[in-house]
Amino acid sequence: MICPNCRSKNIGVIGPEQYYCWDCFIELSVQNNMLHLHEVEMDGSLSSLDDLFSDDERRVEK
């Protein structure tokens, strides 16, 4: 898997269908073959980054 944000391959698994980019510090999850990206806030909450990427950029090929 390659991070759509920073193009890094430094992705770790944090749960079923949940990943974390160790280079740009965003959380990625896969639902219905679509990648959802979130920034982890200081309080631990997540802010969606999906609107920064097109559907084609977020589509996961299996």
Side-chain angles (χ1 to χ4, degrees), residues 14-59:
I14 58 174
E17 301 294 324
Q18 292 182 307
Y19 307 91
Y20 186 78
C21 179
W22 289 101
D23 289 337
C24 68
F25 314 110
I26 63 170
E27 189 173 308
L28 306 99
S29 61
V30 178
Q31 292 179 331
N32 300 324
N33 293 332
M34 287 297 279
L35 196 59
H36 299 278
L37 299 94
H38 295 90
E39 180 178 22
V40 182
E41 300 293 341
M42 295 296 287
D43 65 359
S45 64
L46 300 175
S47 296
S48 177
L49 300 175
D50 288 352
D51 59 339
L52 300 177
F53 301 92
S54 70
D55 285 351
D56 287 338
E57 291 174 305
R58 297 188 308 116
R59 190 165 291 122

